[in-house]
Amino acid sequence: QEQLEESGGGSVQVGGSLRLSCAASGRTVSPYAMGWFRQAPGKEREFVAFITRRGSMINYADSVKGRFTISRDNAKKMVFLQMNSLKPEDTAVYYCAADYSVIPRVADQVDYWGEGTQVTVSS
């Protein structure tokens, strides 16, 4: 059992930045992979970015590559998403996610979910 709690969402202007944080608790073993999915109204929940325990493997969606940076603090069981150069199409609920075996590519593969934090980008 793992609990994930996100924070850091909010409303920003186009081109602005936000930093999302997610804290994991409930298990002594840290997840193999932690990261983020997002879901806009009427859309499928989509992969954003994931990172493995030691940071040896990091994956980004093409839509955020070069703008978002994922990082992890294993001592604190936290994962972060620095989002720069935000665009209106980044508007979504961002969900922290954890997996104990793989980097999930689709939502159905995720082991544990946070409740989500809203990110709104306006112009």
Side-chain angles (χ1 to χ4, degrees), residues 66-121:
R67 300 187 297 119
F68 292 10
T69 302
I70 191 167
S71 60
R72 184 166 173 171
D73 185 336
N74 292 325
K76 298 179 180 178
K77 295 182 65 178
M78 296 188 70
V79 65
F80 308 93
L81 187 68
Q82 179 66 45
M83 305 186 294
N84 298 326
S85 301
L86 283 162
K87 305 175 180 179
E89 50 263 45
D90 296 317
T91 295
V93 176
Y94 284 69
Y95 295 91
C96 183
D99 200 281
Y100 278 86
S101 60
V102 299
I103 293 180
R105 263 60 176 180
V106 297
D108 286 349
Q109 295 177 316
V110 172
D111 290 334
Y112 297 99
W113 292 104
E115 294 182 354
T117 185
Q118 177 71 46
V119 171
T120 302
V121 185

